[in-house]
Amino acid sequence: MTRFPYDQFAKDYLKKLLQPLGQVETSRKVPAQIRDIDVYFVPPPQSTKNTKNTIELGLLGKFAAKPALVEPFKNVATIAEIRSCMNKLFDIFAEVKRQAML
């Protein structure tokens, strides 16, 4: 459970919107240091995509065309918060690269 109601609302809302378009995980653990990614989204392979939902979701549907990490903020993100998000992204890149090498 998330400490902040806005954070939990954003995770639940994005999960509900993105589920028809692909796989969604909330509060995914990042292996380097235990940090949570608010929403981790992976669309299905091209052959099973549902373009109708993409059109209905507008900009969010366009974001859902590729794997994505989503970190919603209630207020403007600080430099430190942006840096933290980038570190999570780089950790995921490293994890994907390690898995590809196995």
Side-chain angles (χ1 to χ4, degrees), residues 1 3 9-10 21 25-26 28 46 52 55-56 58 65-66 73 75 77 81 84 87 91 96 99:
M1 179 74 177
R3 291 187 324 204
F9 168 77
L21 301 176
E25 294 178 48
T26 57
R28 180 177 172 160
Q46 286 293 99
K52 181 178 181 282
I55 294 166
E56 290 175 7
K66 296 186 178 187
F73 287 92
N75 298 313
E81 290 170 329
S84 175
N87 284 334
D91 289 340
V96 168
Q99 288 177 352

Side-chain angles (χ1 to χ4, degrees), residues 11-47:
K11 288 178 189 182
D12 293 343
Y13 191 68
L14 288 167
K15 183 175 183 176
K16 191 75 164 172
L17 287 172
L18 291 170
Q19 252 177 345
L21 301 176
Q23 177 186 346
V24 182
E25 294 178 48
T26 57
S27 299
R28 180 177 172 160
K29 302 292 183 213
V30 177
Q33 296 178 358
I34 300 298
R35 293 182 287 186
D36 284 338
I37 295 168
D38 285 344
V39 178
Y40 180 74
F41 174 76
V42 179
Q46 286 293 99
S47 61

